[in-house]
């Protein structure tokens, strides 16, 4: 299965739909090296533009999922229609798939009370899920966690610590864990534990979850604006420049 990608503002984005992306992860799970899945959005790209090391992490990822609505708009401007795959939705499907195929998983991130609740929820929803390791995202020493992860041998590791922290953590682990697929999933554990509510389905369907979250948590406003309009502007500029 070949990757089909499009480069947006210098960053490769995979154009798989949900089922293809899950199949691709199954291939990564079977491979003999570790890999990194990034769920990309305009905020991540803006950060990468200002931090070269982070841009390198994105460009070396084995799979880049078009998460943010801004990415879908950016691809559309370039004549590409993709199914938007939210990080949280993709991670949920991966867990379902792991439970079905007995793939051992690990969870790292969020507050201690949240990670406890997430484990209970996942075991309730997917009785066959095999969680070999779980830890909150507020640790001081990486090395102890690394040791624990090496000895528990997860095939998929879900890291919910927000970007860029989770991507940097995963990038470091890529050279330490022999064969684990790792994905950064931001605030997903908060949602799965019930700590934070997702937007009602209609908002999700319209691709307006970001707006709902911004209304509910106004402090997010400065993260989204002016990032989203500037991103769209830059995509249009890139397209016009390419055309000459
Ligand atoms: N978090 C963490 N360790 C940290 C900082 C944050 O585990 O050092 C967790 C935090 O508890 C929350 C998540 O990372 O569960 C970040 O959520 P946010 O909604 O900011 O991420 P987004 O989905 O917007 O990327």
């Amino acid at each position: 299965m070949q990757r089909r990608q499009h480069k947006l503002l210098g960053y490769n984005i995979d154009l798989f739909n949900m089922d293809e992306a899950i199949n691709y992860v199954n291939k990564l799970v079977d491979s003999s090296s570790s890999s990194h899945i990034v769920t990309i959005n305009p905020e991540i790209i803006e950060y990468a533009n200002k931090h070269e090391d982070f841009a390198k992490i994105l460009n070396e990822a084995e799979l880049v999922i078009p998460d943010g609505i801004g990415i879908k708009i950016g691809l559309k401007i370039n004549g590409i229609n993709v199914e938007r795959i939210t990080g949280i939705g993709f991670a949920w499907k991966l867990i379902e798939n792991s439970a079905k195929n007995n793939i051992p998983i690990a969870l790292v991130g969020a507050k201690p009370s949240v990670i406890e609740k997430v484990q209970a929820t996942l075991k309730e929803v997917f009785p066959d899920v095999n969680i070999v390791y779980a830890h909150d995202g507020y640790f001081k020493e990486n090395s102890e966690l690394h040791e624990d992860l090496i000895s528990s041998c997860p095939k998929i590791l879900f890291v919910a610590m927000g970007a860029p922290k989770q991507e940097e953590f995963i990038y470091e682990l890529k050279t330490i864990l022999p064969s684990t697929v790792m994905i950064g999933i931001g605030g997903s554990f908060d949602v799965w534990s019930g700590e934070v509510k997702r937007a009602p389905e209609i908002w999700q369907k319209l691709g307006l979850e970001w707006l709902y979250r911004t209304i509910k948590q106004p402090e997010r406003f400065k993260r989204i604006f002016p990032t989203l309009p500037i991103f769209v502007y830059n995509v249009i500029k890139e397209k016009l420049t390419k055309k000459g």
Side-chain angles (χ1 to χ4, degrees), residues 9-236:
L9 301 180
Y11 301 93
N12 278 321
I13 296 165
D14 286 282
L15 306 177
F16 291 135
N17 63 30
M18 176 72 99
D19 289 344
E20 290 168 337
I22 297 283
N23 285 339
Y24 193 70
V25 175
N26 281 334
K27 268 191 60 176
L28 293 175
V29 165
D30 288 339
S31 108
S32 55
S33 51
S34 283
S35 47
H36 184 184
I37 306 171
V38 171
T39 64
I40 204 161
N41 60 38
E43 294 155 59
I44 289 184
I45 290 186
E46 187 190 29
Y47 185 84
N49 285 339
K50 292 179 188 150
H51 300 85
E52 222 172 282
D53 289 354
F54 190 72
K56 183 172 148 63
I57 294 178
L58 298 189
N59 282 327
E60 288 181 19
E62 280 69 19
L63 183 62
V64 181
I65 300 286
D67 180 352
I69 186 74
I71 302 294
K72 188 173 163 70
I73 296 171
L75 290 170
K76 178 107 188 146
I77 290 168
N78 282 281
I80 300 164
N81 272 314
V82 284
E83 176 187 339
R84 183 178 165 226
I85 305 175
T86 62
I88 187 167
F90 187 57
W92 190 257
K93 278 257 181 197
L94 281 179
I95 291 181
E96 185 183 22
N97 181 61
S98 307
K100 208 158 51 185
N101 297 305
N102 198 24
I103 297 170
I105 64 167
L107 316 169
V108 173
K111 290 184 280 184
S113 59
V114 169
I115 189 82
E116 284 301 316
K117 273 195 223 152
V118 166
Q119 288 181 79
T121 303
L122 293 181
K123 283 178 191 159
E124 199 183 313
V125 180
F126 307 113
D128 294 331
V129 72
N130 181 10
I131 304 172
V132 291
Y133 183 72
H135 200 288
D136 66 78
Y138 296 87
F139 44 88
K140 293 217 166 55
E141 274 289 322
N142 278 11
S143 54
E144 205 175 304
L145 214 105
H146 288 169
E147 295 286 311
D148 290 346
L149 281 167
I150 292 169
S151 57
S152 54
C153 302
K155 288 303 286 180
I156 305 184
L157 168 61
F158 297 85
V159 186
M161 300 198 297
K165 209 170 192 171
Q166 60 196 16
E167 275 69 36
E168 288 160 357
F169 178 73
I170 290 173
Y171 191 71
E172 194 185 354
L173 269 176
K174 239 167 127 176
T175 55
I176 295 170
L177 294 178
S179 159
T180 303
V181 177
M182 293 169 273
I183 177 167
I185 52 170
S188 302
F189 291 172
D190 293 339
V191 175
W192 293 346
S193 69
E195 189 101 337
V196 169
K197 290 249 171 304
R198 264 198 99 173
E201 213 160 307
I202 182 75
W203 291 72
Q204 291 180 36
K205 283 212 173 103
L206 292 171
L208 292 175
E209 187 160 26
W210 58 275
L211 181 61
Y212 181 88
R213 288 177 83 188
T214 309
I215 294 166
K216 289 279 173 189
Q217 296 168 272
E219 66 279 8
R220 297 182 79 93
F221 190 80
K222 64 175 184 325
R223 280 174 48 175
I224 297 195
F225 294 101
T227 303
L228 188 60
I230 288 177
F231 175 78
V232 173
Y233 169 82
N234 283 334
V235 171
I236 295 171

